Amino acid sequence: MTKRITIKQIAQALHVSISTVSKALNDSYEISDETKSKIQEYAKLHKYKPNTLALSLQNKKTKTIGIIIPNILTYYFARVLRGIEKVTTEKGYNIITCITNESYKKEVDTMEMLSNGTIDGFIACISVETLKMENFDHFHDILEEETPIVLYDRVHKDINCDKVVTDNVKSAYKATRYLMKSDCRNIALISISEGLNINKFRVKGYLKALEKYGVEPNEDLIIRQEGEENLTERINKMLDNNKVDGIFTVDEVSGALTTQVLNKRGIKIPEEISIVGFTNGILSRYGSPPLTSVNRFAHTTGEVAATRLIDKLEGKIKFDDIKTEIIRTELVERESTKNLFIKF
């Protein structure tokens, strides 16, 4: 294997100082265009690559961002990551992506490991276990060291950092209102992520819409649980014992499972029951029928989070300038609801 050429070797070959080579490679105005061009061409010819470890030690910056994802199998998080990657690549940053699998311990261990000089800042989504435990010491410790963090999707008021979120209450309200405007009055709600605050906000939006239209909430039409276990049985029992003409599913898996149940029962969608879901992912788009869904613009969420963090790292925003960005949503109409041609 050929040994990589160094700045010192370039300086010796061209009979200039190491400082001159360094400045030329960094396109400094202090070096003449002729000298700069000569050094840069020589470096390119000999396939020079900067020593990123040495640079990070010198500048106390790694140009690397830690990305914390709770579940890579979820389409939403994959799209967020894509948005982050787009911005970081454009701005010359590297990313280290870590998956917690909704584990508090793995989240703590990962963030402690990366904060030991490996990264300049974090873009993170809090795990389910962490939210249940409400123990955010690892976030507080990192922020006390003035390492910036941008939280996305799942956030908490006790963590004083930048956040990028969806207005879950408003989006759920509009989704339920859409069902109301398509003449649904007996609207069920189904959720399998009861431990998450974001889904509790969506339930709140659903209840606000019912109240707005003078519909008394019926507890028999509300299924809220943690996980998929027995969900099919509970949906079938609800349909056996109640009149239902609309269903709002708070998460994408609930939407897919509900659609399966209705299809197996031979219920016509949307003629007999309309369905609106949350998160416009693969399950929503390719189900039978495709599901009308709230599009959360995950890609935009990632872009906004990455831009905010990098602006902070580069000193464009002060560390203690804290902001919450709210990403707009829209309802994507598909075959699971009657087409009203109304703007969401």
Side-chain angles (χ1 to χ4, degrees), residues 185-191 206-207 210 216-224 231 233-247:
R185 285 296 177 271
N186 302 293
I187 301 173
L189 177 139
I190 300 174
S191 168
Y206 158 83
L207 294 173
L210 295 186
E216 188 72 25
N218 182 351
E219 289 297 326
D220 294 334
L221 300 185
I222 298 175
I223 299 175
R224 300 171 66 179
L231 180 62
E233 291 82 351
R234 291 190 69 183
I235 294 172
N236 274 309
K237 183 178 178 181
M238 177 184 70
L239 294 172
D240 287 340
N241 299 317
N242 299 276
K243 181 180 179 182
V244 177
D245 53 19
I247 301 176

Side-chain angles (χ1 to χ4, degrees), residues 70 76-77 80 124-126 151-156 163-166 168 196-198 201-202 279 296 301:
Y76 174 81
F77 293 128
V80 169
C125 181
I126 308 172
L151 292 178
Y152 67 94
D153 190 45
R154 304 175 194 165
V155 302
H156 198 279
K163 302 175 177 75
V164 183
V165 298
T166 300
N168 288 287
L196 296 177
N197 280 337
I198 56 172
F201 291 140
R202 294 171 193 173
T279 302
R296 301 173 60 200
T301 297

Side-chain angles (χ1 to χ4, degrees), residues 23-158:
K23 289 176 180 178
L25 294 175
N26 285 292
D27 204 27
S28 171
Y29 68 90
E30 299 177 57
I31 307 301
S32 69
D33 290 342
E34 182 182 352
T35 302
K36 195 184 298 183
S37 177
K38 183 180 178 181
I39 292 171
Q40 289 176 352
E41 286 177 7
Y42 186 89
K44 184 177 181 181
L45 178 65
H46 291 82
K47 298 180 180 178
Y48 166 77
K49 290 183 179 178
N51 187 327
T52 53
L53 177 58
L55 286 171
S56 68
L57 290 172
Q58 180 182 349
N59 302 323
K60 297 183 179 179
K61 294 291 182 182
T62 65
K63 295 281 282 188
T64 302
I65 296 170
I67 314 299
I68 307 299
I69 295 178
N71 184 354
I72 196 61
L73 297 178
T74 302
Y75 179 80
Y76 174 81
F77 293 128
R79 292 290 297 170
V80 169
L81 180 59
R82 187 169 181 179
I84 292 170
E85 195 274 338
K86 177 178 179 291
V87 171
T88 52
T89 298
E90 289 173 353
K91 294 184 178 289
Y93 282 76
N94 301 308
I95 61 174
I96 297 176
T97 304
C98 299
I99 304 162
T100 64
N101 289 323
E102 307 292 7
S103 162
Y104 166 79
K105 184 178 186 306
K106 191 164 185 181
E107 182 179 280
V108 171
D109 291 346
T110 298
M111 294 186 74
E112 286 181 353
M113 174 190 70
L114 292 180
S115 63
N116 191 23
T118 304
I119 54 90
D120 297 331
F122 284 99
I123 300 173
C125 181
I126 308 172
S127 72
V128 170
E129 277 191 4
T130 303
L131 287 169
K132 286 180 179 177
M133 294 172 65
E134 293 193 336
N135 186 341
F136 308 116
D137 288 347
H138 51 302
F139 287 102
H140 299 323
D141 291 343
I142 290 168
L143 289 168
E144 282 179 7
E145 296 170 356
E146 294 199 351
T147 299
I149 300 173
V150 177
L151 292 178
Y152 67 94
D153 190 45
R154 304 175 194 165
V155 302
H156 198 279
K157 61 181 176 59
D158 290 344

Side-chain angles (χ1 to χ4, degrees), residues 7-24:
I7 286 180
K8 183 177 180 180
Q9 289 170 325
I10 296 173
Q12 289 172 343
L14 299 178
H15 305 291
V16 296
S17 69
I18 292 174
S19 174
T20 297
V21 174
S22 178
K23 289 176 180 178

Side-chain angles (χ1 to χ4, degrees), residues 160-194:
N160 188 32
C161 68
D162 294 297
K163 302 175 177 75
V164 183
V165 298
T166 300
D167 190 337
N168 288 287
V169 175
K170 186 175 181 179
S171 300
Y173 173 87
K174 289 183 176 181
T176 308
R177 183 183 68 180
Y178 184 89
L179 289 170
M180 293 284 191
K181 289 191 174 183
S182 62
D183 296 325
C184 297
R185 285 296 177 271
N186 302 293
I187 301 173
L189 177 139
I190 300 174
S191 168
I192 61 167
S193 304
E194 184 56 20

